[in-house]
Amino acid sequence: MSRFGRRVCAVLAACSAALHAVSLISATGITAVLTAVMLVVCLYCARDLWERGTLRAWTTVALMNLAMIALHLPMPAGHHHGASGVMPASHAVAMTAATWLALVEVTAAASVLFWRTRSREILLRERHGVHQTSRLQGAVAARRQQIAAVDP
């Protein structure tokens, strides 16, 4: 992905951190701790994407967003982690926005991972002379050529 695209995704990750900060306002107990951890992880991913955009960074973005979707999507619209049982409107809006943002981020990360690993596989095949054959078949063919060149 281009530097511009990578940095756009980094800004999206920073927006996820901001949405976690909004959720942190009304969180209590263990939920507050988990939300704070997620906020830090979002900022870590944003920094990683902004600076390097490594496969590790994209994988972390994809996995963290999938986990966020898996945790929040099945919950009822009015759920709350605290004791009062009523979710503040800002928290509900932040969670809905975060879920949609996570869908965008996981789609972008999966696309980048697919294309970057796919192109790497093709590059390795071309570099080692293995196009439609397995590595073993390519190695056997290369060895036969070496033997044929030495033994006329």
Side-chain angles (χ1 to χ4, degrees):
M1 178 174 267
S2 69
R3 174 186 278 185
F4 176 76
R6 193 179 78 228
R7 291 195 169 171
V8 166
C9 289
V11 169
L12 291 176
C15 289
S16 291
L19 290 170
H20 280 99
V22 170
S23 296
L24 189 59
I25 293 169
S26 61
T28 58
I30 189 73
T31 305
V33 173
L34 291 174
T35 303
V37 168
M38 291 302 293
L39 187 149
V40 171
V41 170
C42 288
L43 290 175
Y44 175 79
C45 288
R47 182 188 59 87
D48 233 12
L49 288 177
W50 186 271
E51 291 177 356
R52 291 179 292 278
T54 61
L55 287 177
R56 181 186 63 138
W58 287 110
T59 303
T60 304
V61 168
L63 291 175
M64 292 307 295
N65 282 291
L66 283 172
M68 203 286 285
I69 292 167
L71 287 173
H72 287 134
L73 198 58
M75 293 183 182
H79 88 283
H80 188 273
H81 302 287
S84 67
V86 178
M87 181 189 305
S90 63
H91 186 84
V93 170
M95 277 190 44
T96 302
T99 302
W100 281 105
L101 189 58
L103 285 168
V104 171
E105 287 184 67
V106 78
T107 302
S111 298
V112 169
L113 288 169
F114 175 78
W115 288 109
R116 284 185 63 188
T117 56
R118 175 93 174 126
S119 62
R120 180 175 288 166
E121 178 184 327
I122 291 170
L123 180 65
L124 286 173
R125 284 183 185 170
E126 290 173 358
R127 185 177 295 158
H128 295 292
V130 181
H131 296 283
Q132 295 298 327
T133 59
S134 71
R135 285 187 178 186
L136 179 60
Q137 289 171 332
V140 169
R143 183 67 180 145
R144 284 185 184 153
Q145 288 175 350
Q146 289 174 345
I147 293 171
V150 174
D151 189 25

